[in-house]
Amino acid sequence: MANQPTVGAGGTPTPTVFFLSDSTGITAETLGNTLLTQFPAQRLERRTIPFITTVEQARDVVATIDRVAASGPRPLVFSTTVSPDVRAVLAQSAGHFFDLFGAHVSQLEQALGSSANGLPGQAHGVGDAVRYQSRMAAVEYAIEHDDGQSLRALERAELILIAPSRCGKTPTTMYLALQHGILAANFPLVEEDFDTMALPKPLRPFAEKCFGLTSQPIRLSQIRQERRPNSNYASLAQCTYELRNAEDMYRANNIPYVNSATMSVEEISATVLQRMQLHH
Amino acid sequence: MANQPTVGAGGTPTPTVFFLSDSTGITAETLGNTLLTQFPAQRLERRTIPFITTVEQARDVVATIDRVAASGPRPLVFSTTVSPDVRAVLAQSAGHFFDLFGAHVSQLEQALGSSANGLPGQAHGVGDAVRYQSRMAAVEYAIEHDDGQSLRALERAELILIAPSRCGKTPTTMYLALQHGILAANFPLVEEDFDTMALPKPLRPFAEKCFGLTSQPIRLSQIRQERRPNSNYASLAQCTYELRNAEDMYRANNIPYVNSATMSVEEISATVLQRMQLHH
């Protein structure tokens, strides 16, 4: 079956996209997929082949691409491999070859007035060990401080995300920790917190670290229905009440906030980093 | 101070790298930083400016770049903005302009035989809502099943990472969940598990989902020292014992495994996805 072309709903064979890398494949996937979002109607099969570091491995990959090409539409090949020898082999496959790395490196050599070192991709290796360890420590911190579980060490936090339940605090915290090494805690706002417009007591010393999330009542109600169907917790009235009060609390305490209803964790994170000036 | 150039240890002013995007900036950072790893000696200041969607915003960004350029070395500018109007403005700054998007899109239009839709970056938005929700659900699942906390629903896992304490299970699980939507549990191997070479009982029905991590005894001992200094847990003898037995257990049960001692979570994840054929 491996050589049978996948056929889309309309009966048209689906082209395969290969993401090729001498390292993890993350950069090839990231830029390749970004470019492909410009063609949303195009159905595609995706396949990542990481850790291609030798000419022999490159020849095997070319054979794989050529087999796919022989039995269906011409594949797309996005490559970030660094070695000129490996690239020269990969460029000979029957696919459309996109050299995402080579296209820019000579311009960069000119701009910096020095030569690329030619070593295989180091961007997603351990690299800077201090930075890497800070990311790993941030993941642990995020798990320990998820959902207000531990109020110990809130003073260590660089950021405290606050919001009613199910507005996106947990995955955003995890993303900021894992990708940016931000020591991020999160703290749930519950009905009792809205008796006054003051911040919940554990947060008061740390108001300047707080960032609020809000959502649309209908959207929040849908999400809560999945967790506890037909509960008061998931009712539109309850969601409306909590979100309105949370927004009032943010405004009363000058807490910056964003409506996360239609945003991804990546978009929420980019917004938080920008507004809180938190880039490392 | 904003206009003062940062000065490196050798007294040379440090160039600033701008990552410009109409969306999160993730793609610009990812490819830009990948290219810059080829120049490891180069000290750089990094600055991401996301969500540049209008010509007016682009003009403000150019003014910022030009201020930096006026008081120090010529900045580097990596851009993934899609709109030709916005790009045309950004390209006029005093920095070296790298058009990471435009450089490839016309080749891709030819390959696919259709036109790019020209909409601002959607790669890190919610995009495919089903895929996005599966990533968010996987993050929750990873938190619930971290460190063998919950053996409920191990049958739902697509992957169970197993290893002695501090080999990288938790951050790898989190990465696979957040970036790839993999339902990943992890399970710690402890001394009592090594009385026999059989898998721990809760894992036996799921051997084909298991992937093992091991490490170097000295490296593991260093990491454990940070958590519990001068403990038996952190001793070289104990680490050696646990890692040898874990590796024997993996081999005895045909569990694929990797030595994570010098690998990043991204590299471990790429290896696990490839060996377990887990790409979504």
Side-chain angles (χ1 to χ4, degrees), chain B residues 248-278:
Chain B
D248 287 345
M249 182 187 282
Y250 302 151
R251 281 189 292 261
N253 295 279
N254 290 315
I255 306 291
Y257 69 98
V258 72
N259 188 319
S260 65
T262 61
M263 294 171 84
S264 68
V265 286
E266 286 84 355
E267 290 169 329
I268 302 169
S269 297
T271 304
V272 171
L273 290 173
Q274 188 182 35
R275 305 251 317 254
M276 303 291 275
Q277 303 269 321
L278 265 174

Side-chain angles (χ1 to χ4, degrees), chain A residues 27 118 124 135 179 264 266, chain B residues 34 38 124 135 179 264 266:
Chain A
T27 304
H124 300 100
R135 289 173 55 210
Q179 297 294 348
S264 67
E266 287 83 356
Chain B
T34 295
Q38 290 291 307
H124 300 99
R135 289 173 56 211
Q179 296 295 347
S264 68
E266 286 84 355

Side-chain angles (χ1 to χ4, degrees), chain B residues 2-277:
Chain B
N3 290 348
Q4 291 291 94
T6 311
V7 174
T12 326
T14 306
T16 299
V17 181
F18 288 91
F19 301 103
L20 309 185
S21 171
D22 49 29
S23 174
T24 61
I26 292 169
T27 304
E29 289 175 347
T30 302
L31 182 58
N33 281 320
T34 295
L35 290 163
L36 290 169
T37 56
Q38 290 291 307
F39 305 86
Q42 180 72 56
R43 298 185 76 256
L44 297 160
E45 292 289 308
R46 286 168 163 81
R47 186 153 166 203
T48 299
I49 308 183
F51 306 120
I52 308 166
T53 55
T54 68
V55 165
E56 291 67 38
Q57 289 168 328
R59 290 204 183 104
D60 288 346
V61 170
V62 168
T64 301
I65 296 169
D66 289 353
R67 272 196 302 275
V68 170
S71 61
R74 191 170 170 198
L76 303 177
V77 180
F78 293 102
S79 167
T80 55
T81 54
V82 173
S83 152
D85 296 344
V86 168
R87 274 195 278 164
V89 173
L90 295 175
Q92 288 164 13
S93 87
H96 295 277
F97 188 70
F98 293 79
D99 181 5
L100 304 182
F101 183 87
H104 305 286
V105 79
S106 60
Q107 189 193 351
L108 191 52
E109 286 179 328
Q110 282 182 5
L112 292 172
S114 58
S115 294
N117 69 8
L119 297 178
Q122 296 300 303
H124 300 99
V126 171
D128 175 347
V130 173
R131 178 173 149 72
Y132 183 77
Q133 288 310 322
S134 80
R135 289 173 56 211
M136 298 305 109
V139 170
E140 274 180 50
Y141 184 89
I143 293 175
E144 272 173 42
H145 295 83
D146 186 45
D147 213 23
Q149 269 182 58
S150 162
L151 301 176
R152 269 190 314 115
L154 272 189
E155 71 275 9
R156 282 183 61 215
E158 296 171 87
L159 170 73
I160 306 170
L161 280 181
I162 64 177
S165 169
R166 311 298 289 168
C167 286
K169 292 186 301 296
T170 294
T172 304
T173 305
M174 222 47 83
Y175 186 87
L176 286 166
L178 191 51
Q179 296 295 347
H180 294 279
I182 305 285
L183 285 185
N186 67 71
F187 190 94
L189 298 178
V190 297
E191 188 157 356
E192 297 72 54
D193 293 321
F194 302 128
D195 294 342
T196 76
M197 280 299 100
L199 283 179
K201 224 171 197 168
L203 298 178
R204 284 179 207 165
F206 310 115
E208 80 291 347
K209 296 178 181 180
C210 289
F211 191 98
L213 300 179
T214 184
S215 187
Q216 293 159 358
I218 289 180
R219 176 89 189 106
L220 184 61
S221 173
Q222 285 166 346
I223 294 173
R224 289 186 174 187
Q225 284 287 351
E226 286 165 31
R227 180 176 275 197
R228 289 195 225 147
N230 305 316
S231 59
N232 177 57
Y233 164 81
S235 71
L236 188 57
Q238 180 67 20
C239 293
T240 305
Y241 172 83
E242 291 182 30
L243 292 172
R244 279 198 191 147
N245 278 277
E247 290 169 26
D248 287 345
M249 182 187 282
Y250 302 151
R251 281 189 292 261
N253 295 279
N254 290 315
I255 306 291
Y257 69 98
V258 72
N259 188 319
S260 65
T262 61
M263 294 171 84
S264 68
V265 286
E266 286 84 355
E267 290 169 329
I268 302 169
S269 297
T271 304
V272 171
L273 290 173
Q274 188 182 35
R275 305 251 317 254
M276 303 291 275
Q277 303 269 321

